[in-house]
Amino acid sequence: MKRLNPLLVAFLFLLPVSLRAQARPINWDSLTAETLKTLSSYLQINTTNPPGNELTAARFLKGILDREGIEAQILDTAELGANRANLYARLRGNGSKKAIALVHHMDVVPATPASWSVDPFSGLIKDGYIWGRGAIDMKSHGIAQLMAMIALKRSGARLNRDIVFIGNADEELGSLGGITFVQRHADLLRDVEYLMTEGADNVLDSAGKVVYFGVGVAEKRTFWQRLTVNGVPSHGSRPTPQNPVPKLVTALYKISQWQTPLHVTPGVDKFFRDISRTYAEPQRGWLSNVRVALDNPRAREWILSDVTWNAILRNTISLTVLNGSNKTNVIPGVATAEIDIRLLPDQDTTEFRETLKKIVGDTAVHLTHLANTKPPLESPIDTDLFRAIDRAAHEREPSAFVTTPMETAATDRPTYRKLGITTYGFSPFRIPRAEIQRGMHGNDERLSVENVGYGLRFYYDILRYVQ
Ligand SMILES: [Zn+2]
């Protein structure tokens, strides 16, 4: 028998290995079923915050990661308190590019079972939906991230970037989980370039078609303040100038009348330009150059009549808590108020506070910070991750566009952004607005079964394209 060329033998021997190094095909039907089952189990773990009990959730996730051979650690149990934890995992790539982190919070807000039509911790699958507290916010999101990462691992696809998976405790209350993680484990995040978590919605039309995908690149900063006026307590039957309540009320009135300046940040400018195509003239023209439109009284009135648009175009102040006397006939010794200030990400806090003091114009009114102000969040748009999201979005919804709305509420993102990580808010699902409105922090929170598979594949594509 003729001897085989040893090079050919080596080639034939190596061929299947090199083919195996290519991505193995994924059976999406069975992976989607597995994802649905995993999500159902995850929803059955009651991580209502308070108290959180995220340790059970972290153990559940670690069990899955262990079985897949993905290194995972349960962290910060001592720092976060009884039955609480953060979870960290890493799927190794070849290290030629920096890592991408997928972050979700394991805790959920409380549910009132009597107001639900199903048990909020049943993870029930019925009528084409998966039901439970966290089905939208944001256990579903976490499981889509997890299973997309697992799919990449199983397929053997080449990864240039490590994929980091993080489950945080306590996002819904004090963000203690995210803050502790960043403080104690900055080393685990040193090579992370990109991070994806909640913080943006995709907008659907009435027929359920996606109009646009939101990528949250910026969010407002809370800058909560307490106003305190001291006085002299006495009987209400004899009015005195030392009553602190009128001074406080005067200060609050001035604040309520203050029209904070309008200011267009780059992401917001892009957002209005992007959505302008969905409007007819003259609105289309106004939105395509919002800076100019804000000088036109008619355009300005129309734009600012939308409470969200108003909030992303200026620093806002809502008067909320008021404390004077608790008895009609008693002039109190002190009167306080709390105001919810939300600043645009590029604002200087010291400067804003000085302006606020000038507006109040009364040294008897003392201002104190109520909570730690988070670092500003504004991430760049011209990135490989943004392009990967854009590509994956266009493939599934060719008529939709990707834009950059600003989040008016607060998320854990600034905590991570502080480390220099480009941090995006993202949703992998197509959820009608009414469903978000009703379910998120409300009753009968649920996600369509169709969305579970959609979100899984959306994440899978983004993670592949960003390599
Ligand atoms: Zn959330």
Side-chain angles (χ1 to χ4, degrees), residues 211-264:
V211 179
Y212 68 78
F213 293 96
V215 175
V217 297
E219 72 180 44
K220 301 282 292 280
R221 299 168 80 185
T222 54
F223 189 59
W224 297 350
Q225 301 287 316
R226 175 178 287 129
L227 283 69
T228 306
V229 183
N230 294 304
V232 178
S234 57
H235 199 277
S237 64
R238 290 179 298 275
T240 73
Q242 288 83 34
N243 182 350
V245 176
K247 285 196 178 97
L248 180 69
V249 169
T250 305
L252 291 175
Y253 177 72
K254 286 179 183 164
I255 293 170
S256 73
Q257 294 303 298
W258 180 27
Q259 296 287 317
T260 54
L262 298 168
H263 174 69
V264 186

Short mmCIF file of all heavy atoms in Angstrom, two decimals, residues 211-264:
data_model
loop_
_atom_site.label_atom_id
_atom_site.label_comp_id
_atom_site.label_asym_id
_atom_site.label_seq_id
_atom_site.Cartn_x
_atom_site.Cartn_y
_atom_site.Cartn_z
N VAL A 211 -40.82 50.53 16.31
CA VAL A 211 -40.53 51.81 15.67
C VAL A 211 -39.04 52.12 15.86
O VAL A 211 -38.33 52.42 14.93
CB VAL A 211 -41.39 52.95 16.26
CG1 VAL A 211 -41.06 54.27 15.58
CG2 VAL A 211 -42.87 52.62 16.15
N TYR A 212 -38.61 52.03 17.12
CA TYR A 212 -37.18 52.17 17.35
C TYR A 212 -36.71 51.37 18.56
O TYR A 212 -37.47 51.05 19.45
CB TYR A 212 -36.77 53.66 17.48
CG TYR A 212 -37.26 54.40 18.69
CD1 TYR A 212 -36.66 54.24 19.95
CD2 TYR A 212 -38.30 55.31 18.58
CE1 TYR A 212 -37.09 54.95 21.06
CE2 TYR A 212 -38.75 56.03 19.69
CZ TYR A 212 -38.13 55.85 20.92
OH TYR A 212 -38.57 56.54 21.99
N PHE A 213 -35.42 51.05 18.52
CA PHE A 213 -34.74 50.42 19.64
C PHE A 213 -34.00 51.53 20.40
O PHE A 213 -33.28 52.31 19.78
CB PHE A 213 -33.72 49.39 19.17
CG PHE A 213 -34.33 48.19 18.52
CD1 PHE A 213 -34.44 48.11 17.13
CD2 PHE A 213 -34.81 47.14 19.29
CE1 PHE A 213 -35.00 47.00 16.52
CE2 PHE A 213 -35.38 46.02 18.68
CZ PHE A 213 -35.47 45.95 17.31
N GLY A 214 -34.19 51.57 21.69
CA GLY A 214 -33.49 52.57 22.49
C GLY A 214 -32.20 52.00 23.06
O GLY A 214 -32.20 50.89 23.58
N VAL A 215 -31.13 52.74 22.93
CA VAL A 215 -29.88 52.39 23.62
C VAL A 215 -29.60 53.55 24.57
O VAL A 215 -29.37 54.68 24.12
CB VAL A 215 -28.71 52.19 22.63
CG1 VAL A 215 -27.41 51.95 23.39
CG2 VAL A 215 -29.01 51.02 21.71
N GLY A 216 -29.69 53.27 25.86
CA GLY A 216 -29.54 54.34 26.86
C GLY A 216 -28.08 54.65 27.08
O GLY A 216 -27.35 53.86 27.65
N VAL A 217 -27.66 55.82 26.61
CA VAL A 217 -26.25 56.20 26.77
C VAL A 217 -26.09 57.23 27.89
O VAL A 217 -24.98 57.55 28.28
CB VAL A 217 -25.66 56.78 25.47
CG1 VAL A 217 -25.66 55.73 24.37
CG2 VAL A 217 -26.42 58.02 25.01
N ALA A 218 -27.22 57.73 28.40
CA ALA A 218 -27.12 58.78 29.41
C ALA A 218 -28.30 58.71 30.37
O ALA A 218 -29.35 58.20 30.01
CB ALA A 218 -27.11 60.16 28.74
N GLU A 219 -28.09 59.19 31.59
CA GLU A 219 -29.23 59.30 32.49
C GLU A 219 -29.09 60.52 33.39
O GLU A 219 -27.99 61.03 33.63
CB GLU A 219 -29.43 58.02 33.32
CG GLU A 219 -28.43 57.75 34.41
CD GLU A 219 -28.71 56.44 35.17
OE1 GLU A 219 -29.02 55.42 34.53
OE2 GLU A 219 -28.60 56.47 36.40
N LYS A 220 -30.24 60.99 33.86
CA LYS A 220 -30.25 62.13 34.77
C LYS A 220 -29.64 61.70 36.10
O LYS A 220 -29.63 60.52 36.45
CB LYS A 220 -31.70 62.61 35.02
CG LYS A 220 -32.47 63.02 33.79
CD LYS A 220 -32.14 64.41 33.25
CE LYS A 220 -32.55 65.59 34.09
NZ LYS A 220 -33.96 65.97 34.00
N ARG A 221 -29.15 62.69 36.87
CA ARG A 221 -28.56 62.39 38.19
C ARG A 221 -29.47 62.93 39.28
O ARG A 221 -29.89 64.10 39.23
CB ARG A 221 -27.23 63.12 38.35
CG ARG A 221 -26.21 62.74 37.37
CD ARG A 221 -25.06 63.72 37.43
NE ARG A 221 -24.14 63.45 38.53
CZ ARG A 221 -23.11 64.24 38.84
NH1 ARG A 221 -22.91 65.35 38.18
NH2 ARG A 221 -22.31 63.92 39.82
N THR A 222 -29.75 62.10 40.25
CA THR A 222 -30.53 62.61 41.38
C THR A 222 -29.63 63.54 42.21
O THR A 222 -28.46 63.25 42.43
CB THR A 222 -31.03 61.48 42.29
OG1 THR A 222 -29.91 60.70 42.67
CG2 THR A 222 -32.03 60.60 41.57
N PHE A 223 -30.21 64.64 42.63
CA PHE A 223 -29.47 65.61 43.46
C PHE A 223 -30.45 66.11 44.53
O PHE A 223 -30.82 67.27 44.60
CB PHE A 223 -28.98 66.76 42.55
CG PHE A 223 -28.04 67.72 43.21
CD1 PHE A 223 -26.85 67.28 43.76
CD2 PHE A 223 -28.34 69.07 43.29
CE1 PHE A 223 -25.97 68.17 44.37
CE2 PHE A 223 -27.47 69.97 43.90
CZ PHE A 223 -26.29 69.52 44.43
N TRP A 224 -30.93 65.12 45.32
CA TRP A 224 -32.00 65.41 46.27
C TRP A 224 -31.53 66.32 47.39
O TRP A 224 -30.43 66.13 47.93
CB TRP A 224 -32.54 64.09 46.87
CG TRP A 224 -33.15 63.19 45.85
CD1 TRP A 224 -33.44 63.51 44.54
CD2 TRP A 224 -33.52 61.82 46.02
NE1 TRP A 224 -33.98 62.42 43.90
CE2 TRP A 224 -34.05 61.38 44.78
CE3 TRP A 224 -33.49 60.94 47.10
CZ2 TRP A 224 -34.52 60.08 44.60
CZ3 TRP A 224 -33.96 59.65 46.92
CH2 TRP A 224 -34.47 59.22 45.68
N GLN A 225 -32.40 67.27 47.77
CA GLN A 225 -32.05 68.23 48.81
C GLN A 225 -33.16 68.32 49.86
O GLN A 225 -34.33 68.14 49.54
CB GLN A 225 -31.88 69.64 48.20
CG GLN A 225 -30.82 69.75 47.13
CD GLN A 225 -29.41 69.69 47.68
OE1 GLN A 225 -29.09 70.32 48.69
NE2 GLN A 225 -28.54 68.92 47.03
N ARG A 226 -32.71 68.58 51.10
CA ARG A 226 -33.69 68.90 52.16
C ARG A 226 -33.56 70.38 52.48
O ARG A 226 -32.45 70.90 52.59
CB ARG A 226 -33.41 68.07 53.41
CG ARG A 226 -34.33 68.47 54.57
CD ARG A 226 -34.10 67.63 55.82
NE ARG A 226 -34.64 66.30 55.64
CZ ARG A 226 -33.95 65.18 55.87
NH1 ARG A 226 -32.71 65.25 56.30
NH2 ARG A 226 -34.51 64.00 55.70
N LEU A 227 -34.70 71.03 52.61
CA LEU A 227 -34.74 72.44 53.03
C LEU A 227 -35.18 72.47 54.48
O LEU A 227 -36.19 71.84 54.84
CB LEU A 227 -35.75 73.24 52.20
CG LEU A 227 -35.34 73.65 50.78
CD1 LEU A 227 -35.24 72.46 49.85
CD2 LEU A 227 -36.33 74.67 50.23
N THR A 228 -34.44 73.18 55.31
CA THR A 228 -34.79 73.25 56.73
C THR A 228 -34.87 74.72 57.15
O THR A 228 -33.98 75.50 56.85
CB THR A 228 -33.72 72.55 57.60
OG1 THR A 228 -33.55 71.22 57.10
CG2 THR A 228 -34.15 72.50 59.07
N VAL A 229 -35.97 75.06 57.85
CA VAL A 229 -36.07 76.40 58.45
C VAL A 229 -36.36 76.20 59.93
O VAL A 229 -37.28 75.47 60.31
CB VAL A 229 -37.23 77.21 57.80
CG1 VAL A 229 -37.26 78.62 58.40
CG2 VAL A 229 -37.09 77.27 56.29
N ASN A 230 -35.51 76.82 60.76
CA ASN A 230 -35.73 76.74 62.20
C ASN A 230 -36.55 77.92 62.69
O ASN A 230 -36.45 79.02 62.13
CB ASN A 230 -34.38 76.70 62.93
CG ASN A 230 -33.62 75.42 62.61
OD1 ASN A 230 -34.13 74.32 62.82
ND2 ASN A 230 -32.44 75.56 62.05
N GLY A 231 -37.36 77.69 63.74
CA GLY A 231 -38.19 78.76 64.29
C GLY A 231 -38.36 78.56 65.78
O GLY A 231 -37.57 77.86 66.42
N VAL A 232 -39.37 79.19 66.32
CA VAL A 232 -39.64 79.05 67.75
C VAL A 232 -41.05 78.48 67.91
O VAL A 232 -42.01 79.07 67.41
CB VAL A 232 -39.53 80.42 68.45
CG1 VAL A 232 -39.85 80.30 69.95
CG2 VAL A 232 -38.14 81.02 68.25
N PRO A 233 -41.16 77.34 68.60
CA PRO A 233 -42.50 76.76 68.75
C PRO A 233 -43.39 77.63 69.66
O PRO A 233 -42.89 78.19 70.63
CB PRO A 233 -42.22 75.40 69.40
CG PRO A 233 -40.83 75.43 69.92
CD PRO A 233 -40.10 76.55 69.24
N SER A 234 -44.64 77.74 69.30
CA SER A 234 -45.57 78.48 70.16
C SER A 234 -47.00 78.13 69.78
O SER A 234 -47.23 77.26 68.93
CB SER A 234 -45.31 79.99 70.07
OG SER A 234 -45.43 80.42 68.73
N HIS A 235 -47.97 78.83 70.39
CA HIS A 235 -49.37 78.52 70.19
C HIS A 235 -49.89 79.19 68.91
O HIS A 235 -49.62 80.36 68.67
CB HIS A 235 -50.19 78.98 71.41
CG HIS A 235 -51.53 78.30 71.48
ND1 HIS A 235 -52.62 78.76 70.76
CD2 HIS A 235 -51.94 77.20 72.14
CE1 HIS A 235 -53.66 77.96 71.00
NE2 HIS A 235 -53.26 77.00 71.85
N GLY A 236 -50.65 78.43 68.14
CA GLY A 236 -51.14 78.93 66.85
C GLY A 236 -52.13 80.07 66.97
O GLY A 236 -52.42 80.76 65.99
N SER A 237 -52.65 80.30 68.15
CA SER A 237 -53.65 81.36 68.32
C SER A 237 -53.01 82.75 68.28
O SER A 237 -53.70 83.74 68.12
CB SER A 237 -54.38 81.17 69.65
OG SER A 237 -53.46 81.31 70.73
N ARG A 238 -51.67 82.81 68.48
CA ARG A 238 -50.98 84.11 68.45
C ARG A 238 -49.85 84.05 67.42
O ARG A 238 -48.73 83.64 67.74
CB ARG A 238 -50.41 84.44 69.84
CG ARG A 238 -51.47 84.75 70.90
CD ARG A 238 -50.86 85.03 72.26
NE ARG A 238 -50.12 83.88 72.79
CZ ARG A 238 -50.68 82.88 73.48
NH1 ARG A 238 -51.96 82.88 73.74
NH2 ARG A 238 -49.93 81.88 73.91
N PRO A 239 -50.11 84.43 66.17
CA PRO A 239 -49.09 84.33 65.12
C PRO A 239 -47.82 85.09 65.48
O PRO A 239 -47.90 86.16 66.09
CB PRO A 239 -49.77 84.97 63.90
CG PRO A 239 -51.22 84.88 64.18
CD PRO A 239 -51.38 84.97 65.67
N THR A 240 -46.64 84.50 65.11
CA THR A 240 -45.36 85.13 65.41
C THR A 240 -44.51 85.17 64.14
O THR A 240 -44.70 84.35 63.25
CB THR A 240 -44.57 84.34 66.48
OG1 THR A 240 -44.09 83.14 65.85
CG2 THR A 240 -45.40 84.01 67.69
N PRO A 241 -43.52 86.09 64.11
CA PRO A 241 -42.59 86.10 62.98
C PRO A 241 -41.62 84.91 63.03
O PRO A 241 -40.90 84.66 62.08
CB PRO A 241 -41.83 87.41 63.12
CG PRO A 241 -42.30 88.08 64.36
CD PRO A 241 -43.27 87.20 65.07
N GLN A 242 -41.58 84.19 64.15
CA GLN A 242 -40.64 83.06 64.27
C GLN A 242 -41.23 81.74 63.79
O GLN A 242 -40.65 80.68 63.99
CB GLN A 242 -40.16 82.89 65.73
CG GLN A 242 -39.19 83.96 66.20
CD GLN A 242 -39.91 85.22 66.66
OE1 GLN A 242 -41.02 85.18 67.21
NE2 GLN A 242 -39.30 86.38 66.41
N ASN A 243 -42.40 81.81 63.17
CA ASN A 243 -42.99 80.59 62.60
C ASN A 243 -42.18 80.19 61.36
O ASN A 243 -42.09 80.96 60.40
CB ASN A 243 -44.45 80.87 62.22
CG ASN A 243 -45.15 79.62 61.68
OD1 ASN A 243 -44.51 78.60 61.41
ND2 ASN A 243 -46.46 79.72 61.52
N PRO A 244 -41.56 79.00 61.33
CA PRO A 244 -40.71 78.62 60.18
C PRO A 244 -41.52 78.25 58.94
O PRO A 244 -40.97 78.24 57.83
CB PRO A 244 -39.95 77.40 60.70
CG PRO A 244 -40.84 76.80 61.75
CD PRO A 244 -41.59 77.95 62.37
N VAL A 245 -42.82 77.97 59.10
CA VAL A 245 -43.59 77.45 57.96
C VAL A 245 -43.73 78.48 56.81
O VAL A 245 -43.48 78.13 55.66
CB VAL A 245 -44.96 76.92 58.43
CG1 VAL A 245 -45.81 76.47 57.24
CG2 VAL A 245 -44.77 75.76 59.41
N PRO A 246 -44.11 79.76 57.11
CA PRO A 246 -44.23 80.70 55.98
C PRO A 246 -42.93 80.87 55.20
O PRO A 246 -42.95 80.99 53.98
CB PRO A 246 -44.64 82.02 56.68
CG PRO A 246 -45.24 81.60 57.97
CD PRO A 246 -44.51 80.35 58.39
N LYS A 247 -41.80 80.88 55.91
CA LYS A 247 -40.51 81.04 55.21
C LYS A 247 -40.26 79.86 54.27
O LYS A 247 -39.79 80.03 53.15
CB LYS A 247 -39.36 81.10 56.24
CG LYS A 247 -39.27 82.42 56.98
CD LYS A 247 -37.91 82.56 57.66
CE LYS A 247 -37.78 83.89 58.37
NZ LYS A 247 -38.08 83.83 59.80
N LEU A 248 -40.59 78.66 54.78
CA LEU A 248 -40.38 77.47 53.95
C LEU A 248 -41.30 77.50 52.73
O LEU A 248 -40.88 77.24 51.60
CB LEU A 248 -40.65 76.20 54.78
CG LEU A 248 -40.45 74.90 54.01
CD1 LEU A 248 -38.98 74.68 53.69
CD2 LEU A 248 -41.00 73.71 54.80
N VAL A 249 -42.55 77.88 52.97
CA VAL A 249 -43.53 77.90 51.88
C VAL A 249 -43.12 78.93 50.82
O VAL A 249 -43.23 78.66 49.61
CB VAL A 249 -44.94 78.21 52.45
CG1 VAL A 249 -45.93 78.52 51.34
CG2 VAL A 249 -45.43 77.03 53.29
N THR A 250 -42.62 80.08 51.26
CA THR A 250 -42.16 81.10 50.31
C THR A 250 -41.02 80.56 49.46
O THR A 250 -40.99 80.74 48.24
CB THR A 250 -41.71 82.37 51.08
OG1 THR A 250 -42.80 82.79 51.91
CG2 THR A 250 -41.33 83.48 50.13
N ALA A 251 -40.07 79.90 50.12
CA ALA A 251 -38.92 79.33 49.39
C ALA A 251 -39.40 78.31 48.37
O ALA A 251 -38.96 78.31 47.21
CB ALA A 251 -37.95 78.69 50.37
N LEU A 252 -40.33 77.45 48.78
CA LEU A 252 -40.82 76.40 47.88
C LEU A 252 -41.58 77.01 46.70
O LEU A 252 -41.49 76.52 45.58
CB LEU A 252 -41.71 75.42 48.65
CG LEU A 252 -40.98 74.54 49.67
CD1 LEU A 252 -41.98 73.70 50.46
CD2 LEU A 252 -39.95 73.63 48.99
N TYR A 253 -42.31 78.09 47.00
CA TYR A 253 -43.06 78.72 45.91
C TYR A 253 -42.09 79.26 44.85
O TYR A 253 -42.28 79.06 43.65
CB TYR A 253 -43.95 79.86 46.45
CG TYR A 253 -44.67 80.58 45.34
CD1 TYR A 253 -45.71 79.95 44.66
CD2 TYR A 253 -44.28 81.85 44.94
CE1 TYR A 253 -46.36 80.58 43.61
CE2 TYR A 253 -44.92 82.49 43.89
CZ TYR A 253 -45.96 81.85 43.23
OH TYR A 253 -46.58 82.47 42.18
N LYS A 254 -41.03 79.93 45.33
CA LYS A 254 -40.04 80.48 44.39
C LYS A 254 -39.42 79.36 43.55
O LYS A 254 -39.22 79.50 42.34
CB LYS A 254 -38.94 81.21 45.15
CG LYS A 254 -39.36 82.56 45.71
CD LYS A 254 -38.19 83.18 46.46
CE LYS A 254 -38.54 84.49 47.11
NZ LYS A 254 -37.51 84.83 48.13
N ILE A 255 -39.10 78.24 44.21
CA ILE A 255 -38.50 77.10 43.48
C ILE A 255 -39.48 76.56 42.44
O ILE A 255 -39.12 76.27 41.30
CB ILE A 255 -38.07 75.99 44.47
CG1 ILE A 255 -36.92 76.48 45.35
CG2 ILE A 255 -37.67 74.72 43.71
CD1 ILE A 255 -36.58 75.55 46.51
N SER A 256 -40.74 76.47 42.84
CA SER A 256 -41.75 75.90 41.92
C SER A 256 -41.95 76.79 40.69
O SER A 256 -42.34 76.31 39.63
CB SER A 256 -43.07 75.68 42.64
OG SER A 256 -43.70 76.93 42.87
N GLN A 257 -41.69 78.11 40.85
CA GLN A 257 -41.89 79.03 39.73
C GLN A 257 -40.67 79.14 38.84
O GLN A 257 -40.70 79.76 37.78
CB GLN A 257 -42.25 80.43 40.27
CG GLN A 257 -43.58 80.49 40.97
CD GLN A 257 -44.72 80.02 40.09
OE1 GLN A 257 -45.01 80.60 39.06
NE2 GLN A 257 -45.36 78.92 40.48
N TRP A 258 -39.57 78.58 39.28
CA TRP A 258 -38.30 78.72 38.54
C TRP A 258 -38.33 77.87 37.26
O TRP A 258 -38.51 76.65 37.32
CB TRP A 258 -37.15 78.30 39.45
CG TRP A 258 -35.79 78.39 38.80
CD1 TRP A 258 -35.41 79.23 37.79
CD2 TRP A 258 -34.63 77.61 39.13
NE1 TRP A 258 -34.09 79.02 37.47
CE2 TRP A 258 -33.58 78.04 38.28
CE3 TRP A 258 -34.37 76.60 40.06
CZ2 TRP A 258 -32.31 77.48 38.34
CZ3 TRP A 258 -33.10 76.06 40.12
CH2 TRP A 258 -32.08 76.49 39.27
N GLN A 259 -38.15 78.54 36.13
CA GLN A 259 -38.04 77.84 34.86
C GLN A 259 -36.56 77.54 34.64
O GLN A 259 -35.81 78.43 34.22
CB GLN A 259 -38.57 78.71 33.71
CG GLN A 259 -40.05 79.02 33.81
CD GLN A 259 -40.91 77.80 33.50
OE1 GLN A 259 -40.64 77.07 32.56
NE2 GLN A 259 -41.93 77.57 34.31
N THR A 260 -36.13 76.33 34.91
CA THR A 260 -34.71 76.00 34.73
C THR A 260 -34.36 76.12 33.24
O THR A 260 -35.19 75.85 32.37
CB THR A 260 -34.40 74.59 35.23
OG1 THR A 260 -35.30 73.69 34.58
CG2 THR A 260 -34.55 74.48 36.73
N PRO A 261 -33.11 76.52 32.93
CA PRO A 261 -32.74 76.72 31.52
C PRO A 261 -32.83 75.43 30.71
O PRO A 261 -32.62 74.34 31.24
CB PRO A 261 -31.28 77.18 31.61
CG PRO A 261 -31.04 77.53 33.02
CD PRO A 261 -32.03 76.81 33.87
N LEU A 262 -33.13 75.58 29.43
CA LEU A 262 -33.17 74.42 28.52
C LEU A 262 -31.76 74.16 28.00
O LEU A 262 -31.01 75.10 27.72
CB LEU A 262 -34.13 74.70 27.36
CG LEU A 262 -35.57 74.91 27.81
CD1 LEU A 262 -36.42 75.48 26.68
CD2 LEU A 262 -36.17 73.60 28.32
N HIS A 263 -31.41 72.87 27.89
CA HIS A 263 -30.04 72.53 27.51
C HIS A 263 -30.07 71.20 26.75
O HIS A 263 -30.60 70.21 27.24
CB HIS A 263 -29.21 72.42 28.80
CG HIS A 263 -27.81 71.93 28.57
ND1 HIS A 263 -26.86 72.68 27.93
CD2 HIS A 263 -27.21 70.76 28.90
CE1 HIS A 263 -25.74 71.99 27.87
NE2 HIS A 263 -25.92 70.82 28.46
N VAL A 264 -29.52 71.21 25.53
CA VAL A 264 -29.58 70.01 24.68
C VAL A 264 -28.23 69.29 24.71
O VAL A 264 -27.23 69.81 24.22
CB VAL A 264 -29.93 70.39 23.23
CG1 VAL A 264 -30.13 69.14 22.38
CG2 VAL A 264 -31.18 71.26 23.19
#
